[in-house]
Structures are given as structure tokens and as C-alpha cells.
């Protein structure tokens, strides 16, 4: 069944001197989430935003705050971000052992927040298997996490398709999100593979018309997804 692609602009690429206006702009343009990239300078080399920003955004935001934790100790900080008002929280499989990952995801879900798990480009999707039934969303990184503005890693669409097949085989249906180098050129590859949510940074906030950019990315992604579904139906 066809479901329209959801767009999650990453405020890491926004103008922080005008963040309120930037958030208003993407909200009015029909964005589905506000993607918040949290980096600690340990799990990834960059250092970005954290609890204070989420706490200030939460009461103002009219669409869900999608918080992506690229940090070394998510099991410690997850409760802080829940209290700050995150609507969904993503943790990395690479940051925790399986037992601690399970516990952390259960903490998120038990707190009434959407739970998500992410894999880096070089991480095999088999690492997701132990927690597939615990997550509302899976984030496939199509760049190495750490910095905005990186180029899309070719072949990421294939990895998305593998995750989609794995979900089907296990009888689960989390949303599949993709983050890294997503724009008009790259969106079709991941949408046709089964992506549901596209994180867009520079493609939106550095565009001359961010609202038009959101519409264009969604349009090409929806078209690619529809073609893929029609092709699958013809093959059956």
C-alpha cells in the first residue's frame, strides 16, 4: 500500500541565528518532523546541540522532534532527552552492547516516546536483528555520521532495501528513515528501496526556496516509491 514519504529537515543545517524562523518555515512548508542531530565529540568527532535546545524547542514545535543521538553514552542521556520533550529518540547500535541497547530502547518506549535505532554505513544490518521488535523506526545512515553536507554514499538504496526485506521476514513494520546527502538526486534511490522518512539538511536549508525544496524532494521520492510498488505488483 502506498504511503507518502515523510520529510524530516535537519536543523543542523539551519541558520541558528534565525532558528525560530527556520522552524516556522519548514513547519509551514509541510515538514513531518524536526530532526535534531546530537553529537558529543566522542562517538563522532563533531560537537553539536543538546538538552537545552530540545527543551526550548519542544513547547514551541508544532511537529514532532526527532532526536538522533550520536553519543557514546545514550543509556545515561536518554532520560534527559525524554524529559526535555523529544517525541522520538534514535540511538546507535554501535554505541551499546545488545543487552544495554535493549534496555535503552525499552526505557524510551516505556516513557511514551518513539524508539528508533540507527546503523552506520559500514555496520551490517544483522546488528539490528536483536532489537527489531522494539523499535518504531530504523535509521539507515547514508553518510558517516558526524558532519552535515557530506555526499551520499552510493549503494545506500540497496542497504535500505535489505532492511525492508529483513523487516518483512521478521514480521515487523517500523518506519525506515535515511539520513545523509539526501536531496532531489538521491531521494529516489532510497525511496524505491523502501524508505519512509527522509532526513534533509543542506538540500532544504541551503536551498533558495526551502519550502519548494521540501515539496520537490517529496515529489520525486513519492514517484520513485510508487514506481517500485507498481513494479513489485507486476512481478507477482
Amino acid at each position: 500500500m502506498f504511503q507518502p514519504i515523510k520529510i524530516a529537515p535537519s536543523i543542523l543545517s539551519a541558520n541558528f541565528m534565525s532558528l525560530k524562523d527556520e522552524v516556522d518555515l519548514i513547519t509551514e512548508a509541510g515538514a513531518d518532523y524536526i530532526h535534531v542531530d546530537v553529537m558529543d565529540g566522542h562517538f563522532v568527532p563533531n560537537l553539536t546541540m543538546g538538552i537545552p535546545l530540545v527543551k526550548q524547542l519542544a513547547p514551541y514545535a508544532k511537529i514532532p522532534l526527532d532526536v538522533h543521538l550520536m553519543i557514546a553514552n545514550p543509556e545515561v542521556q536518554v532520560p534527559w532527552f525524554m524529559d526535555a520533550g523529544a517525541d522520538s529518540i534514535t540511538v546507535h547500535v554501535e554505541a551499546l552492547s545488545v543487552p544495554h541497547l535493549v534496555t535503552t530502547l525499552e526505557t524510551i518506549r516505556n516513557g511514551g516516546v518513539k524508539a528508533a535505532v540507527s546503523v552506520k554505513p559500514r555496520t551490517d544490518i544483522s546488528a539490528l536483528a536483536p532489537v527489531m521488535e522494539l523499535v518504531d523506526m530504523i535509521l539507515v545512515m547514508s553518510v558517516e555520521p558526524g558532519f552535515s553536507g557530506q555526499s551520499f554514499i552510493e549503494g545506500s538504496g540497496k542497504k535500505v532495501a535489505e532492511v525492508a526485506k529483513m523487516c518483512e521476514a521478521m514480521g515487523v513494520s517500523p518506519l525506515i528513515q535515511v539520513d545523509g546527502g539526501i536531496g532531489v538526486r538521491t531521494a529516489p534511490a532510497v525511496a524505491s528501496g523502501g524508505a519512509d522518512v527522509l532526513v534533509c539538511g543542506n538540500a532544504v536549508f541551503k536551498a533558495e526556496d526551502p519550502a519548494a525544496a521540501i515539496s520537490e524532494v517529496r515529489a520525486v521520492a513519492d514517484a520513485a516509491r510508487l514506481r517500485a510498488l507498481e513494479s513489485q505488483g507486476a512481478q507477482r
Side-chain angles (χ1 to χ4, degrees), residues 186-201:
T186 55
V190 296
S192 61
D196 303 288
V197 184
L198 305 183
V199 177
C200 301

Side-chain angles (χ1 to χ4, degrees), residues 81-82 85-89 105 107-115 136:
F81 283 96
M82 292 169 64
D87 294 290
S88 65
I89 298 177
L105 291 169
T107 296
I108 297 171
R109 297 193 75 175
N110 291 339
V113 176
K114 300 290 186 183
D136 301 288

Side-chain angles (χ1 to χ4, degrees), residues 46-221:
N46 199 9
L47 186 65
T48 60
M49 61 204 86
I51 302 290
L53 181 63
V54 173
K55 189 173 288 188
Q56 290 183 50
L57 273 176
Y60 182 77
K62 298 178 179 66
I63 54 178
L65 291 183
D66 173 33
V67 178
H68 178 193
L69 299 183
M70 289 167 272
I71 62 178
N73 60 339
E75 73 277 23
V76 173
Q77 296 198 35
V78 153
W80 305 349
F81 283 96
M82 292 169 64
D83 290 342
D87 294 290
S88 65
I89 298 177
T90 302
V91 296
H92 271 261
V93 296
E94 302 89 356
L96 295 166
S97 65
V98 171
H100 285 111
L101 180 61
V102 168
T103 299
T104 300
L105 291 169
E106 288 177 340
T107 296
I108 297 171
R109 297 193 75 175
N110 291 339
V113 176
K114 300 290 186 183
V117 66
S118 180
V119 286
K120 294 181 181 181
R122 294 194 180 105
T123 300
D124 193 276
I125 65 168
S126 61
L128 296 168
V131 296
M132 294 283 272
E133 296 181 351
L134 296 175
V135 297
D136 301 288
M137 185 166 66
I138 294 169
L139 169 54
V140 177
M141 293 298 299
S142 46
V143 299
E144 285 295 336
F147 295 92
S148 64
Q150 296 185 68
S151 297
F152 178 83
I153 296 175
E154 299 300 330
S156 296
K158 180 180 178 182
K159 189 167 188 177
V160 170
E162 290 171 351
V163 170
K165 288 179 182 177
M166 185 178 178
C167 290
E168 185 177 2
M170 295 185 68
V172 295
S173 54
L175 295 173
I176 299 176
Q177 185 180 59
V178 186
D179 183 1
I182 300 298
V184 171
R185 183 186 68 83
T186 55
V190 296
S192 61
D196 303 288
V197 184
L198 305 183
V199 177
C200 301
N202 286 358
V204 168
F205 287 110
K206 305 305 182 189
E208 185 173 335
D209 185 343
I214 289 174
S215 295
E216 189 174 7
V217 171
R218 182 183 278 118
V220 298

